[in-house]
Amino acid sequence: LSELEALMERMKRLQEDKEDEEASQEEMATRFEKEKKESLLVISGGICAFPVLFSFDDEIVSTDVSRYIEDPGFGYKDFARRGEDHLPTFRAQDYTWENHGFSLVNRLYSDIGHLLDEKFRMVYNLTYNTMATHEDVDTTTLRRALFNYVHCMYGIRYDDYDYGEVNQLLERSLKVYIKTVTCYPERTTKRMYDSYWRQFKHSEKVHVNLLLMEARMQAELLYALRAITRHLT
């Protein structure tokens, strides 16, 4: 099977499995923890095959980027420390964008919540119902996996989502691309962009980039707004 046909086959199989039997809460929690730990081993440019966590503290930002920022060493760091057994988890049910973040940010800055919410929804729901040359395809499962994987990298868990879908739909090379774009965008290259989903249209791959960045922004907002809520209460 081609890359595209294999992906569509996995999407179809996931839907059939979901209709036959749903995973228990315990199973879904276990799958999230596994995916979260594995995401820490994903590094830009490749997947580490060794059971250790990596830090980019000593890496130097390229000169081209450092010209535009005050602190060249400023950048993403994994949310867990090296060798830590119990990685922190942000349970989305305890603080969601829809039920908590939206109202708080609107209170702090009038109407900004509506603008942000519209932006999140527009990018998440954007679809031509196509996958490369195939039409009338429901891409909801795939879009949800991309969005939730970004949040998983930030330690955010949705109790009602089966993270086994992430592992089945997103290949390792794509996870490398996702982490690079989301956490280290300055390292993204055209070769990386060209290397995944080679049969897909550029518009579909650009949509992936938009989805990744909006998921990252929402994750950052959730952490910031939750901290503000705790301070206010």
Side-chain angles (χ1 to χ4, degrees), residues 32-62:
F32 169 77
E33 291 299 325
K34 179 181 178 181
E35 199 64 49
K36 182 173 63 172
K37 290 179 180 179
E38 288 182 355
S39 74
L40 295 173
L41 303 180
V42 176
I43 59 176
S44 59
I47 296 275
C48 174
F50 304 97
V52 293
L53 304 184
F54 283 81
S55 169
F56 293 94
D57 294 346
D58 300 327
E59 295 209 10
I60 301 174
V61 178
S62 66

Side-chain angles (χ1 to χ4, degrees), residues 123-172:
V123 171
Y124 186 86
N125 294 322
L126 180 64
T127 180
Y128 300 132
N129 293 314
T130 64
M131 288 181 67
T133 57
H134 296 267
E135 299 181 350
D136 298 322
V137 180
D138 184 357
T139 61
T140 303
T141 303
L142 186 56
R143 284 182 279 126
R144 184 169 59 238
L146 289 165
F147 193 92
N148 285 356
Y149 181 63
V150 173
H151 279 205
C152 178
M153 290 194 303
Y154 280 79
I156 300 174
R157 179 196 169 201
Y158 294 87
D159 290 347
D160 58 351
Y161 181 70
D162 182 359
Y163 288 84
E165 294 186 9
V166 168
N167 211 34
Q168 293 188 56
L169 295 177
L170 309 184
E171 297 181 350
R172 285 195 162 193

Side-chain angles (χ1 to χ4, degrees), residues 4 12 27 33 47 49 69 81 86 91 94 110 113 116 133 152-153 158 167 178 187 191 205 211 215 220 227:
L4 172 62
K12 180 181 178 181
E27 287 174 324
E33 291 299 325
I47 296 275
I69 56 179
R81 296 178 180 177
H86 302 288
R91 294 182 70 253
D94 296 335
S110 180
L116 288 170
T133 57
C152 178
M153 290 194 303
Y158 294 87
N167 211 34
I178 291 172
R187 301 178 186 175
R191 189 172 75 170
K205 297 176 74 168
L211 192 60
E220 292 170 338

